[in-house]
Amino acid sequence: MYRYVSSELGFRTPALINSIKIFVRDFSDIPSISVSRLNTEEINQALEIHSLQWQQSTDSTKLIKEFKFSNFKQTFVFMGSVSQVADQMQHFPKWVQKGNKVTVEMTTQDCKGISVKDILLAYTMESIANHVENQTVENVCDTIKVSTNQLLNNWNSNFTKTEDVFQGFQKNIVQL
């Protein structure tokens, strides 16, 4: 049995994908999800599936990213918008803001490491950052209204697309 179809392409077995896959209907579902600490391979796969450009701490217990915005207003709108989602998820990042930069660290205290909750919040933060950068910000009190349904549908479909690609590779291997 193959553990990897191709390590160069980064496609993993369904077992690995299943270990990091959660389908979410609403951010308020997140607090009730029981999580376990992801290993380095699972973290890398989850980041790849969702096209996230986050770094792991050297001990793989934290996700880290620095967001840079055009101005202070955008930075503040980003933080306010993320705060609303984090409150719904009951999962809060550690962040430091200076001028137009926000450095974020995330970890899940329940498992003393990175969990799927951190990956989902990272995915959400990326989406919010993209919206902030592409929208005119008038006031630091503005917030980006996150389309929860669209964001979570995209999150869920990323897993489905990855599984479809993997199944296509499996069929090609069987035909060989």
Side-chain angles (χ1 to χ4, degrees), residues 4-160:
Y4 303 110
V5 173
S6 169
S7 57
E8 292 104 36
L9 295 175
F11 294 106
R12 309 292 193 250
T13 64
L16 180 58
I17 293 169
N18 286 336
S19 71
I20 58 175
K21 176 174 64 176
I22 60 167
F23 286 98
V24 182
R25 291 176 289 127
D26 191 75
F27 288 123
S28 61
D29 294 339
I30 302 303
S32 63
I33 294 174
S34 176
V35 294
S36 59
R37 181 177 175 167
L38 301 177
N39 64 40
T40 303
E41 186 178 21
E42 292 168 324
I43 296 165
N44 289 334
Q45 183 64 29
L47 294 173
E48 184 179 328
I49 286 171
H50 298 293
S51 303
L52 299 173
Q53 302 298 314
W54 287 67
Q55 303 300 313
Q56 296 178 53
S57 60
T58 53
D59 61 357
S60 295
T61 60
K62 298 176 192 159
L63 283 179
I64 303 166
K65 180 163 183 166
E66 182 178 86
F67 290 91
K68 296 178 186 176
F69 297 95
S70 298
N71 56 55
F72 176 75
K73 288 180 188 176
Q74 286 183 336
T75 307
F76 219 77
V77 168
F78 168 76
M79 292 176 69
S81 301
V82 169
S83 294
Q84 290 179 353
V85 173
D87 194 45
Q88 286 180 314
M89 292 175 67
Q90 293 180 16
H91 191 66
F92 306 98
K94 174 184 171 187
W95 53 25
V96 175
Q97 177 271 325
K98 184 169 181 163
N100 66 336
K101 296 178 186 175
V102 179
T103 304
V104 180
E105 288 184 4
M106 286 190 293
T107 191
T108 302
Q109 295 303 318
D110 295 345
C111 66
K112 296 178 178 41
I114 299 169
S115 76
V116 176
K117 290 181 180 184
D118 299 303
I119 304 294
L120 178 57
L121 187 53
Y123 181 78
T124 303
M125 291 173 92
E126 292 271 347
S127 177
I128 291 170
N130 289 334
H131 281 83
V132 167
E133 290 171 355
N134 295 317
Q135 185 173 321
T136 303
V137 174
E138 300 291 327
N139 189 319
V140 294
C141 295
D142 292 347
T143 56
I144 299 300
K145 184 67 179 161
V146 176
S147 173
T148 303
N149 288 340
Q150 182 181 359
L151 188 126
L152 293 176
N153 284 339
N154 291 343
W155 162 270
N156 294 334
S157 72
N158 287 343
F159 288 113
T160 304

Side-chain angles (χ1 to χ4, degrees), residues 5 164-176:
V5 173
D164 290 346
V165 168
F166 181 79
Q167 287 174 358
F169 278 120
Q170 272 189 324
K171 287 177 186 176
N172 289 337
I173 289 171
V174 170
Q175 290 174 356
L176 296 176

